Structures are given as C-alpha cells and as structure tokens.
C-alpha cells in the first residue's frame, strides 16, 4: 500500500511539473516579449523573497525556531526609511518624527551596546580594571551610543553629516579585517606585518574619501537611511533575543511558547506602526534607477537589477562567512547540536545573538527593497514573512542554496501564474505552491544535508 501511494505521488508530481513547464514554454513561444517582462518581474520580486528566505534560513537553521518578529523586521526596515525621509521628501507635510519613538529606539540601542560591551570587553579587562569602574565606563559608553542613535533619528535632515562619517569608518574597519582575514593564512610573520600596515593605510584612505563624499552629498541621505533602518531592525531583533528569547529558552523547552511570544511581538509591532504612521499605504521616495528602459520589448528598471544583485551579494557574503570563518563554524556547530557546542567552549548566547541581528537585517533590507517597488503598509511584514517561509520550503528548509533558489523560483512562478489571472491571485498561487511542496516535496528542491 505504501509503495502504491508513493508511486502515485511521484506520478502526480511529475504531471504537475510537466504542466507548469509546458505552460511557461507555451507562453514564451506565443509572446516572447511579454514573457521577458514577466520573467524580469519575477526575478525582481524573487530577489526580495530570496533575501527574506536567506535571513530566515540563517536563523531557523541555527536555533530551529520560527521567529515571527522576522516579518516585523521587514516592516521596520521599510518604515524606518519613511520615518527618516518623509519630512524632507514630502516638504514637511507629513510630520512623523516624534520624540517618543526616538527615545524608545535610543534606549534599545543603548541596551544592546551595553550588552555588547559587557560580553566582549568585560571578561578581558576585569583582571586589569576594577569591576565597578568597568561597569561605570561601559554604562557611560552605552549611554553615549544610545544618545547618538537618538540624535540621528531626531535630525534626519542632517543624516549625511551625523551618520555619514560613522558609515565610512565602519566600511573602513570592515575592509581592514577582511584584508587581514583573507591573507593571514597565506603570508608569513613578516608578510603579515606588511599586510597589516597596507590594509590599515587603505582603510584610513577609504574612511577619509568615503566620509568626505557622504558628508558633501545630501543625496546620500536616502541610502544612509537604508543602513540606519537595517541597524535599528537588527538591534531590536538582538534585544528581543537577549531580553526575551534567552529567558524563555532556559525556562521552557517548548518551541510553541516561543512561537506564541513572537506572534505577540509581531502583532504588537504591527499595531504600533499603525499608530505612528496610520494604516494608509505610504510610498517611499524614488531611488536611483527608477526610470525604466526598454530591452527586448520589456521595461526594466535599474533599481530592480540592483535588488537582484543585492540578493546574490548577500547570499555570497553569508556563504563565505559560514564556510570559511570561525564565526561560521560556530554557527554550524550550534545548528548541529547547541548543547555540544556549549560544552566545547562556544559562547552560544553571543553567536546566536549575532545570528538574530544579521537575519533581521536581511529582513529589513528585503522590506526596504519591497517598499521602493510598491507602497508600504503596517501589515506588510506578515505577508513578506510568509513568502520568505514559502521560498524556504520550496528551496529546502535549512539550506542556504535552497533559500536563494526558492525565492527566485517563487517570484517567477507567481508572475507567470497571473498572466491570465488578476494580480490578486498572486498570493493564492504562492500558497497553492506551498501546499504542493508540502504534499509531494516536503524536503524541498535542495534538502539540508
């Protein structure tokens, strides 16, 4: 009986695949120009789904927990850009910048900074500096960081001046450590010292050049708001993990309790966004590449090409980090067995906190790209969360390659499916696809090994 049903399932699955491929092939042959347009639309939408799926896969495959805040992070990313740019873009008509919101985020950032300082510096310096002095200095520095975050939010018209130099310094530091990591194993002691000097000189030059370019370019404020929004969403995700999820994981081993808690967070943040921004859809400012150009009869926007490139760059960066860095090895160890990872000396709390930060930053970026392509609304995060999850199921839950493949495949199938239907059927098609994969390919196209 089991063999019979397995054969029947394979037959039905084969028929479905052949039907989908035949339909797309027929459409390509009958109207190649329109097929090119639908294909490009599918790839641009699929890039957003892929970013959501990549971040979701990173978090889920590490802690095996379906964090619903991930959807709220996408909405926070999009609304963060609107919050920072609405006054200038709309000529001061929409006064959305409020001290309460600025103070809340400043407190969150200060708390995250205090925890980061405590976990990274306290253990190393407590033998040299008295603990009370160390805590006081750490508290003061955390307050300074929180006050700086509040100032950035309070004066969005000066974002390029307030945040531009910090972004340039962060980029320079990333370049320095990337250069050291890339060549440290290839050079001897003397060559390593020379490389360190060269990398430090290049990082300093980059910081000066990029900082001056950002400060002197008011047009950079829109793109700096992307970075600020992703950092804020990531900080909230880290704060939720350290302040709530860690305690719940220690006191209760049931994933259902954490799922319900994250659902409450998603609903609370969605309601808060509705209170601050109202429930009406809001557009974001036009970014670069908003004017379409024609290729093969299809209208293609440069910004959509950027979204596709962003998905691939994020995938490659995360793949390199997970495969060839000590942090990546620690993440994979925690995903295989967190208890064993803790026994062998891995600070699982810190590693998982970083994972939550990075994953929610991916979600925020997906929300930003989606917001520039369509109007934003308070409950947009829930739909993007579900699309990211469907993409993960299609590609293979827990597989980074599958997340990328599933995102683009879902976007293309959605677009071709609504060729002869109204656009409202797009979400129906996505959930039908989910049901089919759960029925016939529950492991996805690229199962986790």
């Amino acid at each position: 009986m089991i063999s019979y049903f397995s054969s029947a399932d394979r037959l039905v699955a084969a028929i479905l695949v052949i039907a989908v491929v035949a339909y797309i092939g027929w459409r390509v042959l009958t109207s190649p120009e329109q097929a090119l347009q639908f294909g490009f639309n599918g790839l641009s939408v699929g890039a957003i789904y892929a970013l959501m799926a990549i971040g979701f896969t990173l978090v889920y495959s590490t802690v095996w927990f379906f964090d619903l805040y991930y959807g709220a992070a996408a909405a926070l990313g999009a609304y963060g850009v609107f919050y920072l740019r609405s006054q200038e873009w709309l000529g001061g008509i929409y006064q959305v910048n409020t001290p309460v919101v600025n103070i809340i985020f400043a407190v969150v950032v200060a708390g995250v900074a205090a925890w980061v300082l405590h976990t990274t510096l306290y253990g190393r310096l407590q033998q040299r500096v008295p603990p009370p002095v160390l805590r006081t200095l750490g508290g003061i520095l955390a307050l300074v960081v929180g006050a700086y975050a509040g100032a950035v939010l309070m004066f969005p018209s000066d974002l390029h001046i307030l945040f531009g130099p910090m972004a340039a310094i962060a980029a320079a530091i990333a370049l320095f450590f990337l250069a050291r990591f890339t060549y440290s194993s290839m050079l001897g002691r003397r060559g390593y010292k020379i490389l360190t000097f060269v990398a430090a000189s290049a990082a300093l030059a980059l910081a000066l050049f990029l900082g001056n370019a950002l400060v002197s370019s008011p047009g950079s404020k829109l793109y700096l708001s992307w970075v600020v929004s992703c950092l804020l969403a990531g900080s909230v995700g880290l704060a939720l993990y350290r302040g709530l999820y860690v305690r719940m994981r220690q006191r209760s081993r049931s994933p259902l309790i954490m799922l319900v808690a994250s659902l409450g967070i998603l609903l609370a943040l969605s309601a808060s966004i509705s209170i601050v921004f109202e429930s009406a859809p809001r557009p974001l400012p036009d970014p670069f590449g908003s004017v379409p150009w024609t290729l093969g009869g299809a209208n293609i926007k440069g910004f959509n090409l950027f979204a596709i490139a962003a998905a691939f760059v994020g995938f490659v960066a995360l793949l390199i980090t997970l495969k060839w860095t000590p942090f990546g090895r620690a993440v994979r160890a925690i995903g295989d067995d967190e208890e064993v990872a803790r026994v062998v000396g891995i600070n699982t709390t810190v590693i998982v906190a970083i994972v939550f930060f990075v994953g929610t930053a991916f979600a925020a970026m997906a929300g930003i790209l989606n917001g520039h392509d369509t109007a934003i609304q308070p409950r947009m995060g829930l739909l993007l969360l579900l699309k990211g999850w469907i993409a993960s199921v299609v590609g293979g839950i827990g597989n980074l390659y599958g997340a990328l493949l599933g995102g683009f495949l879902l976007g293309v199938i959605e677009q071709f499916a609504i060729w002869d239907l109204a656009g409202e059927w797009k979400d129906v098609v996505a959930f039908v696809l989910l049901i089919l994969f759960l029925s016939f390919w529950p492991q996805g196209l690229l199962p986790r090994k």
Side-chain angles (χ1 to χ4, degrees):
M1 182 67 68
I2 295 176
S3 175
Y4 170 80
F5 280 114
S6 298
S7 300
D9 289 346
R10 286 195 294 269
L11 177 61
V12 173
I15 293 174
L16 290 173
V17 171
I18 293 173
V20 171
V21 173
Y23 174 77
I24 294 177
W26 171 64
R27 277 304 187 182
V28 170
L29 292 176
T30 56
S31 182
E33 294 183 355
Q34 196 170 358
L36 179 62
Q37 182 70 67
F38 275 95
F40 175 74
N41 293 344
L43 290 176
S44 60
V45 174
I48 297 171
Y49 298 161
L51 282 172
M52 292 291 296
I54 289 170
F56 169 80
T57 297
L58 173 65
V59 175
Y60 184 78
S61 62
T62 303
V63 296
W64 302 105
F65 160 51
F66 189 24
D67 182 17
L68 295 179
Y69 163 72
Y70 194 71
L76 283 179
Y79 274 95
V81 175
F82 186 82
Y83 187 85
L84 291 169
R85 301 271 39 92
S86 60
Q87 284 184 309
E88 181 177 303
W89 175 51
L90 298 176
I93 298 175
Y94 194 80
Q95 301 293 333
V96 68
N97 198 291
T98 60
V100 175
V101 174
N102 299 336
I103 292 173
I104 290 174
F105 278 107
V107 170
V108 170
V109 172
V112 169
W115 179 78
V116 170
L117 291 171
H118 177 79
T119 54
T120 57
L121 298 179
Y122 185 78
R124 301 179 182 179
L125 300 178
Q126 62 179 343
Q127 301 298 330
R128 304 177 184 178
V129 182
V133 176
L134 201 58
R135 287 196 210 69
T136 302
L137 293 177
I140 293 174
L141 186 56
L143 289 175
V144 170
V145 173
Y148 171 74
V152 169
L153 295 174
M154 191 176 300
F155 303 103
S157 58
D158 297 323
L159 186 62
H160 60 305
I161 299 174
L162 291 173
F163 187 70
M166 294 301 298
I169 293 173
I173 293 175
L175 172 65
F176 173 73
F177 283 104
L178 177 63
R180 288 189 62 180
F181 169 76
T182 303
Y183 295 103
S184 60
S185 60
M186 303 179 185
L187 301 174
R189 185 182 183 89
R190 183 178 179 182
Y192 183 74
K193 290 182 178 180
I194 295 175
L195 172 68
T196 300
F197 174 77
V198 173
S201 301
L204 179 60
L206 175 64
L208 293 174
F209 171 77
L210 187 59
N212 178 70
L214 292 174
V215 169
S216 59
S217 176
S220 65
K221 287 183 285 188
L222 174 60
Y223 311 108
L224 288 173
S225 69
W226 294 2
V227 181
V228 173
S229 299
C230 290
L231 291 177
L232 290 176
S235 297
V236 174
L238 194 155
L240 287 172
Y241 169 74
R242 188 63 189 93
L244 178 63
Y245 297 154
V246 168
R247 298 177 184 274
M248 297 184 68
R249 295 181 74 194
Q250 291 173 347
R251 297 180 181 180
S252 175
R253 293 293 179 180
S254 174
L256 180 60
I257 295 178
M258 297 181 64
L259 179 66
V260 173
S262 65
L263 174 61
I265 292 170
L266 171 62
L267 296 177
L269 287 176
S270 299
S272 300
I273 291 174
S274 298
I275 294 171
V276 175
F277 297 96
E278 302 176 1
S279 58
R282 305 285 182 187
L284 292 184
D286 290 333
F288 68 93
S290 297
V291 178
W293 42 279
T294 304
L295 177 64
N299 293 323
I300 297 175
K301 292 183 180 181
F303 180 76
N304 295 130
L305 292 176
F306 168 79
I308 297 172
F312 279 101
V313 170
F315 165 78
V316 172
L318 194 56
L319 184 66
I320 292 174
T321 301
L322 293 178
K323 282 185 174 290
W324 291 295
T325 65
F327 170 77
R329 288 191 290 271
V331 170
R332 287 184 280 122
I334 294 172
D336 291 336
D337 195 317
E338 186 173 353
E339 294 297 332
V340 174
R342 188 180 294 110
V343 169
V344 299
I346 297 176
N347 192 333
T348 57
T349 301
V350 173
I351 297 299
V352 174
I354 297 173
V355 166
F356 268 81
F357 181 89
V358 174
T360 50
F362 267 87
M365 191 62 196
I368 291 170
L369 295 177
N370 182 74
H372 280 293
D373 204 38
T374 184
I376 61 177
Q377 53 180 326
R379 300 193 180 276
M380 61 178 287
L382 177 59
L383 185 58
L384 285 177
L385 170 70
L386 295 175
K387 293 298 180 70
W389 183 60
I390 293 173
S392 298
V393 171
V394 170
I397 293 182
N399 190 319
L400 205 60
Y401 297 94
L404 183 71
L405 174 62
F408 283 108
L409 187 62
L410 174 61
V412 171
I413 290 177
E414 274 188 355
Q415 292 299 315
F416 274 93
I418 62 173
W419 192 320
D420 296 314
L421 301 171
E424 290 77 8
W425 283 88
K426 181 175 62 175
D427 297 334
V428 176
V429 170
F431 287 105
V432 169
L433 185 67
L434 171 64
I435 293 172
L436 291 176
F437 265 84
L438 290 176
S439 301
F440 300 108
W441 304 279
Q443 300 299 318
L445 298 176
L446 300 174
R448 176 185 171 96
K449 297 181 180 179

